Amino acid sequence: MSEDIEIEEPETGTLPLDAWHRDKGARMVEFAGYWMPIQYEGIVAEHEWTRSNAGLFDVSHMGQLLLSGPDLDAAVEAVLPIDLSTLKLGQQRYSLLLDEDGGVLDDLMVSRWPECLYLVVNGATKWDDIGHLREYLPDEITLNHLDEQALLALQGPKAADALARHATGEYPLSALTFMKFGRFTIAGHEVTIARAGYTGEDGFEISLPGHATEEIADVLCREPEVKPIGLGARDSLRLEAGLPLYGHDLSPETSPIEAGLVFGINKRRRSPVEQGGGGYPGATRINREIVEGTLRKWVGLKVEGRMPAREGAEVFAGGEQVGVVTSGGFSPTLGAPIAMAYVASAHAATGTALEIEVRSKRLAATVVPTPFVPHRYYRGK
């Protein structure tokens, strides 16, 4: 007779700014295995502040990885549908971790550092991602998890002005354009700054030593344009920007082509194998879908009235269910509910009238282009 073994649940982790958030009155919630701030003053107020000023987000739960070793580009191209021959030093690019069936295991950022590649992966999937990469990359490739690094995101139209007062380097911060990065110093600490983010606004992601996080957060939040912002506003901002959230809009049950992420399959990788294409997990299905299309598509929906449609709500065309909502909420910028949903391709054209069932009521909805709110990334003057 076997003994009953009591398995302890892993404790919720804390990030370098945990006490800092609590001192500022943040409401803390468990997210991706960590205690994180959901809001400070309120989600709508923080959302609107970020749209007009600059918000500081703690995203230190994300996984920061360094890959290095011989024939690194070829090894990584066997795992990701990326064309690393066109990724130059100081550039970063969106990519996807896929399973053998073309399902999405994670979406991530890849940056070209000297002699290595730097990856940022989602916090909720980072341990699975690390395991997957260690299994599928050759033994000669070294994977370092930068678990002593923190990650802050400064987002909004005034982020550049506030950050430029403190970031010094070989060239000015203004030299960075969207999806470029460089090495800088803030408050005497070496940091890496990328001009990117998850809000649709101009902004920056700052990789910094964990022990310096509180000092740098204080330095930035002393600027009149900057306030700390919680996860609640981060979600409403990314929804308005039409950006997917892994585990909700993306999963192993979705392909990148269904999700409208064909840009994540770099051009050379879409070609036949003899032309340098394919060669990554799920390539057969994905390259077929690029040519032939998919049975369903991820679309934006503008919802009539004031009641938001949440994840899991069913989408109808007349009496037929044709889709399901994956993300939804009330848009502070538009003053109306919006949603993202997978719907049958026959009902995915812009302007198509649909209905969403919420609390046993049918809400009128219309397929609209995304982003709901235009992106304002800085691509240079």
Side-chain angles (χ1 to χ4, degrees), residues 29-298:
V29 298
E30 294 183 68
F31 181 79
Y34 298 93
W35 288 109
M36 299 193 67
I38 188 74
Q39 66 181 57
Y40 299 84
E41 299 177 18
I43 292 174
V44 172
E46 293 168 28
H47 179 113
E48 292 175 342
W49 180 270
T50 305
R51 284 273 184 244
S52 57
N53 293 280
L56 185 70
F57 300 79
D58 181 6
V59 289
S60 299
H61 64 299
M62 307 284 277
Q64 300 182 65
L65 315 177
L66 272 186
L67 303 180
S68 60
D71 300 318
L72 178 62
D73 284 12
V76 172
E77 285 191 359
V79 180
L80 305 178
I82 193 170
D83 180 2
L84 289 170
S85 69
T86 60
L87 185 69
K88 307 305 181 187
L89 185 66
Q91 295 180 340
Q92 72 173 24
R93 186 174 299 164
Y94 180 84
S95 193
L96 297 150
L97 193 64
L98 306 170
D99 65 21
E100 293 296 335
D101 297 321
V104 181
L105 298 174
D106 200 7
D107 58 342
L108 64 152
M109 302 300 297
V110 181
S111 302
R112 173 80 72 185
W113 283 21
E115 308 300 326
C116 60
L117 294 171
Y118 166 74
L119 279 58
V120 178
V121 302
N122 280 299
T125 58
K126 66 182 176 185
W127 300 113
D128 289 339
D129 291 357
I130 289 169
H132 184 91
L133 291 169
R134 284 184 170 149
E135 180 178 356
Y136 287 94
L137 289 172
D139 292 341
E140 295 78 17
I141 301 301
T142 299
L143 186 158
N144 286 322
H145 179 203
L146 306 180
D147 54 357
E148 294 186 356
Q149 289 287 108
L151 192 66
L152 300 178
L154 187 65
Q155 302 283 298
K158 297 182 181 178
D161 290 341
L163 186 56
R165 298 181 197 124
H166 300 283
T168 59
E170 293 183 8
Y171 44 83
L173 187 71
S174 59
L176 291 183
T177 54
F178 183 57
M179 298 295 271
K180 303 288 178 62
F181 72 88
R183 302 289 177 85
F184 294 84
T185 299
I186 300 177
H189 301 284
E190 292 186 2
V191 302
T192 300
I193 300 177
R195 197 155 197 166
Y198 193 49
T199 63
E201 293 289 340
D202 182 26
F204 304 86
E205 293 188 339
I206 307 164
S207 176
L208 66 162
H211 65 81
T213 313
E214 188 167 325
E215 181 181 0
I216 290 178
D218 281 336
V219 163
L220 295 175
C221 283
R222 280 197 288 267
E223 296 301 325
E225 304 96 333
V226 181
K227 288 184 178 182
I229 307 296
L231 290 177
R234 186 171 183 257
D235 190 58
S236 58
L237 289 160
R238 72 92 193 167
L239 178 60
E240 289 185 345
L243 300 175
L245 176 62
Y246 190 81
H248 301 263
D249 309 298
L250 301 174
S251 75
E253 284 69 51
T254 59
S255 86
I257 312 309
E258 292 176 324
L261 300 176
V262 67
F263 66 90
I265 315 296
N266 289 176
K267 189 174 181 180
R268 174 171 63 82
R269 310 306 302 278
R270 306 174 205 167
S271 307
V273 174
E274 58 270 19
Q275 298 176 20
Y280 61 89
T284 300
R285 172 194 178 182
I286 288 170
N287 287 353
R288 182 184 70 245
E289 289 183 347
I290 291 173
V291 174
E292 299 178 1
T294 58
L295 295 177
R296 61 177 188 167
K297 293 181 179 180
W298 195 54

